[in-house]
Amino acid sequence: MGIINTLIEYFPDLLVGSVTTIWLCFFGIIFSLIWGFLVYLVREYKYLRYVGEVYFEFMRNTPLLVQMLFIYFGSGYLDIPIGAFGSALLALTLQHGAFVSELYKAGIKSVPVGNLDASMALGMTDVQSMKLVIFPQAIRNVIPPLSNQVILLVKDTTLASGISVMEVTLTGKVIAERTTNSFVIFLGIAIIYLVINLTISVIMKRFEKRQN
Amino acid sequence: MASYIPYLLEGALFTIQYAVISIILSTIFGFVFGILGALGPKYIKRIIYTVVVIVRAIPVLIHLFLIYYFLPTIGISIGIAEAVIIGLSTYFTTYNIESVRGAILALPRGQMEAGLALGLSKITAIRQIILPQSLKLAIPPLVNNWVTLVKGTSYASIVGLFEMTKAAQQTAVRTFAPLEVFGITLIFYFILCYAITRIGSYYEKKYSFS
């Protein structure tokens, strides 16, 4: 019985903590979708391509937590006032933006080249053919892997607890030190993440269906 | 700063040690349950699939905390290092299961049927026909999982484990040189993960002769 009582007693506190988590997810998703597009453009542009590739490889092969620590302590050292939340958000955007750019790249590549040729033959400009012909088709291919990436981002928001952002994990950690049933607290957090991630995948599935 | 290099190196060795053990364990279990998840009886397939979906929806860090706090409540007292190794191994087993399962299911059905028609037992057919072919397909996603696992070891510092990231954090606080310390740490992880990626693509090329 102790388990359920502990869960009921502390669940409201966890919900308060998850408000910060949800903000982090929300801004993280929006910013990394935009940043990912900019990175994609850099990776496709003549000589800047190599810069984009180095950036991508670096982001892919280093842990998000260390990036957060670097940004958090580094910004403090250099007197840049972005705070813990800002550092976490910046690191999330930089890392997941890199992955998102890879997904955009694959999605756009999956549209047959003939489409571009055809739109050119119809007299469209570069921008027009991208906007009217390539993107609408690419979006359909990008959404399934993108929803995967969004779920990875949501899971990575836990790392913000490593730089003292009071989100759900750190809230749980603080509570866990006060109770005897510590593992129940993390069970509660696991349930919160399950709910968030399942909601996202349901929304994405629906969006995917509408696109088809 | 320079006097802290041995301390950082010690942390780095711990990271490598935890990563190697967890990679080996999670890959072995990933293959066992991945094969069962692709070719086993129906109810086993369903159980494996459900567990994989649930575990993968939970963040690594929460999984590590769960293992760390849960095992003592059922009477298993373990140190933090063991808890993290168990946590990372079980978590990334689910990733490897998906990779192995996907690779096996990507093979044409006829492969298994042909093996059985030739009079091979199911075990022999799996060992001599299915595995060699699916290994080729499984290597790229497996290598990806290994890189994710190496990055995952750094998250154990939040649980309280001493490894590279923890060593870096302590050093940064003591030396007041966060940019250098975390810069070195980033480069260390980059070299480690990039090496794994390179080794992976070497084997990928070696096996993709067909």
Side-chain angles (χ1 to χ4, degrees):
Chain A
M1 249 15 298
I3 291 176
I4 293 170
N5 283 341
T6 316
L7 202 55
I8 292 171
E9 192 182 342
Y10 290 110
F11 207 70
D13 292 336
L14 291 181
L15 286 181
V16 172
S18 38
V19 172
T20 312
T21 296
I22 288 170
W23 280 122
L24 208 49
C25 294
F26 178 73
F27 287 119
I29 291 167
I30 291 178
F31 288 159
S32 52
L33 290 181
I34 297 168
W35 178 242
F37 190 68
L38 296 177
V39 175
Y40 163 73
L41 290 180
V42 169
R43 290 178 71 186
E44 290 292 294
Y45 190 80
K46 294 172 194 164
Y47 302 110
L48 277 179
R49 209 172 80 215
Y50 300 105
V51 179
E53 264 353 280
V54 169
Y55 170 77
F56 174 71
E57 285 297 332
F58 189 78
M59 285 298 154
R60 195 172 68 151
N61 288 308
T62 50
L64 182 57
L65 178 62
V66 184
Q67 292 167 15
M68 276 186 190
L69 289 166
F70 182 81
I71 294 172
Y72 179 57
F73 285 104
S75 67
Y77 184 72
L78 299 173
D79 275 333
I80 304 166
I82 53 173
F85 187 86
S87 307
L89 194 56
L90 183 58
L92 275 173
T93 307
L94 289 178
Q95 168 135 40
H96 285 276
F99 285 108
V100 167
S101 79
E102 183 76 358
L103 302 181
Y104 287 152
K105 199 174 152 185
I108 289 173
K109 213 176 241 170
S110 70
V111 180
V113 187
N115 279 287
L116 192 62
D117 296 340
S119 55
M120 292 290 184
L122 285 172
M124 290 184 181
T125 62
D126 274 359
V127 176
Q128 272 178 328
S129 56
M130 271 293 165
K131 207 173 81 181
L132 299 172
V133 181
I134 307 295
F135 283 160
Q137 298 184 72
I139 283 177
R140 214 182 304 161
N141 299 327
V142 162
I143 285 172
L146 211 53
S147 62
N148 249 334
Q149 195 62 39
V150 164
I151 286 172
L152 288 178
L153 188 148
V154 170
K155 294 198 284 179
D156 276 350
T157 57
T158 47
L159 300 177
S161 64
I163 56 168
S164 74
V165 177
M166 205 57 185
E167 41 71 80
V168 68
T169 314
L170 193 57
T171 314
K173 210 180 154 194
V174 171
I175 297 171
E177 276 153 18
R178 283 191 263 144
T179 60
T180 45
N181 282 322
S182 302
F183 97 92
V184 179
I185 304 298
F186 288 100
L187 205 60
I189 298 176
I191 293 170
I192 291 175
Y193 272 104
L194 263 177
V195 171
I196 295 177
N197 283 334
L198 291 180
T199 315
I200 288 174
S201 57
V202 167
I203 292 172
M204 285 304 224
K205 279 264 156 60
R206 193 159 295 172
F207 193 62
E208 214 174 293
K209 245 181 220 151
R210 205 200 295 167
Q211 285 292 323
N212 291 336
Chain B
M1 170 69 218
S3 60
Y4 281 95
I5 296 289
Y7 191 64
L8 287 176
L9 268 179
E10 199 187 331
L13 285 179
F14 273 114
T15 288
I16 293 173
Q17 191 184 326
Y18 297 136
V20 168
I21 297 173
S22 309
I23 283 176
I24 293 172
L25 288 178
S26 66
T27 309
I28 293 172
F29 287 120
F31 266 101
V32 172
F33 292 112
I35 293 168
L36 277 175
L39 304 167
K42 204 165 193 178
Y43 66 97
I44 289 188
K45 277 190 208 171
R46 198 165 296 160
I47 292 173
I48 290 177
Y49 180 73
T50 315
V51 171
V52 167
V53 166
I54 291 176
V55 173
R56 288 187 61 155
I58 298 169
V60 200
L61 185 57
I62 302 300
H63 184 78
L64 292 180
F65 271 118
L66 266 176
I67 298 279
Y68 179 55
Y69 284 117
F70 176 67
L71 289 181
T73 61
I74 55 167
I76 304 171
S77 61
I78 47 164
I80 194 161
E82 289 86 351
V84 165
I85 288 173
I86 294 172
L88 285 176
S89 305
T90 46
Y91 191 83
F92 285 98
T93 295
T94 61
Y95 275 67
N96 292 339
I97 287 174
E98 277 300 275
S99 308
V100 172
R101 203 175 70 102
I104 292 175
L105 292 181
L107 293 179
R109 280 183 73 91
Q111 295 288 335
M112 186 72 189
E113 284 160 11
L116 295 178
L118 284 171
L120 300 177
S121 69
K122 201 164 181 183
I123 305 273
T124 320
I126 289 173
R127 219 183 44 187
Q128 304 208 331
I129 298 176
I130 305 293
L131 270 188
Q133 295 186 78
S134 54
L135 196 61
K136 223 170 19 184
L137 294 174
I139 284 177
L142 279 178
V143 169
N144 223 341
N145 297 345
W146 294 343
V147 171
T148 317
L149 192 154
V150 172
K151 294 194 281 178
T153 58
S154 75
Y155 310 159
S157 67
I158 300 178
V159 186
L161 182 70
F162 177 80
E163 37 67 77
M164 184 64 184
T165 307
K166 192 81 175 175
Q169 253 173 296
Q170 290 167 345
T171 310
V173 171
R174 281 178 212 156
T175 57
F176 299 107
L179 292 176
E180 290 91 326
V181 174
F182 289 121
I184 290 173
T185 314
L186 283 173
I187 292 169
F188 162 73
Y189 279 108
F190 180 80
I191 293 172
L192 194 57
C193 295
Y194 198 69
I196 295 176
T197 315
R198 288 284 104 193
I199 294 169
S201 50
Y202 169 75
Y203 278 104
E204 194 185 325
K205 266 191 205 117
K206 197 175 160 189
Y207 285 123
S208 62
F209 45 84
S210 56

